[in-house]
């Protein structure tokens, strides 16, 4: 007879279309499990980053810009993570957004040399700022109704600043 798993995961509810599992007092979504696995791989890659930067394949990888589709996928994954952290773990949206934007920036910089299709080579600060906007827009679409008033204020301010800057950049007629 096999001993029961010490931390049994039991499906017991849905959250934003993502199945959640309950383990003691901790909620873990299927996506969060994937995010944790990806973070572990990223950490492993981070520890080996100097080796990666010196490998012959690194120059080829850095020469190929990351696609807009991949950037959208990264922003969506980050927004799901932010919503999970904000709603379930009560972490401030601002902290979660900035952390996820930095993670996206690391991936784009390390694997693609900071190059994004259609935008060319960008500075890390440009990638962080663009990622913040993309994540916040998706948070607004996803879990906005479930976040705190302070978090809503942050989301609204980021979107308002982006709209103001975009309108300034438009040529006047």
């Amino acid at each position: 007879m096999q001993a029961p798993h010490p931390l049994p995961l039991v499906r017991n509810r849905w959250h934003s279309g993502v199945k959640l599992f309950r383990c003691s007092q901790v909620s873990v979504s299927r996506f969060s499990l994937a995010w944790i696995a990806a973070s572990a791989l990223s950490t492993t890659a981070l520890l080996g980053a100097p080796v990666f930067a010196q490998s012959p394949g690194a120059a080829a990888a850095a020469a190929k810009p990351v696609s807009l589709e991949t950037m959208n996928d990264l922003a969506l994954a980050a927004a799901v993570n932010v919503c999970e952290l904000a709603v379930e773990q009560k972490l401030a949206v601002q902290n979660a957004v900035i952390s996820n934007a930095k993670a996206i920036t690391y991936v784009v910089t390390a694997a693609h040399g900071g190059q994004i299709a259609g935008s060319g080579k960008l500075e890390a600060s440009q990638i962080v700022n663009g990622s913040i906007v993309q994540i916040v827009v998706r948070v607004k679409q996803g879990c906005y109704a479930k976040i705190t008033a302070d978090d809503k204020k942050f989301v609204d301010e980021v979107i308002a600043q982006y709209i103001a800057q975009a309108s300034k950049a438009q040529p006047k007629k």
Side-chain angles (χ1 to χ4, degrees):
M1 182 177 208
Q2 195 173 10
H5 189 277
L7 296 173
L9 297 174
V10 181
R11 289 180 204 166
N12 71 345
R13 64 187 183 124
W14 289 84
H15 171 67
S16 302
V18 178
K19 265 192 187 165
L20 288 181
F21 299 89
R22 249 307 160 213
C23 177
S24 301
Q25 295 294 325
V26 179
S27 294
V28 181
S29 70
R30 285 186 187 180
F31 179 79
S32 293
L33 293 173
W35 184 260
I36 291 167
S39 296
L41 289 173
S42 296
T43 302
T44 303
L46 176 62
L47 295 174
V51 175
F52 173 75
Q54 296 170 359
S55 70
K64 183 178 180 190
V66 64
S67 71
L68 294 179
E69 180 181 5
T70 299
M71 288 301 293
N72 286 330
D73 289 345
L74 290 170
L76 178 58
V80 170
N81 184 258
V82 168
C83 285
E84 175 71 18
L85 291 170
V87 174
E88 297 296 326
Q89 306 300 321
K90 307 302 182 209
L91 181 69
V93 167
Q94 181 175 357
N95 296 341
V97 166
I98 291 170
S99 178
N100 278 278
K102 287 178 180 179
I104 290 171
T105 301
Y106 173 78
V107 170
V108 172
T109 303
H112 301 279
Q115 296 182 66
I116 299 176
S119 300
K121 184 171 173 60
L122 300 175
E123 296 294 322
S125 62
Q126 293 172 306
I127 299 169
V128 168
N129 290 337
S131 296
I132 288 171
V133 171
Q134 292 296 315
I135 295 166
V136 165
V137 167
R138 285 166 176 81
V139 166
K140 176 98 177 191
Q141 295 168 341
C143 63
Y144 186 79
K146 297 178 182 181
I147 59 178
T148 67
D150 286 341
D151 290 340
K152 287 178 182 177
K153 181 179 176 188
F154 169 75
V155 168
D156 293 338
E157 286 174 355
V158 169
I159 292 172
Q161 287 174 2
Y162 174 74
I163 291 171
Q165 290 176 352
S167 64
K168 285 181 187 177
Q170 294 293 323
K172 299 195 179 192
K173 294 180 182 179

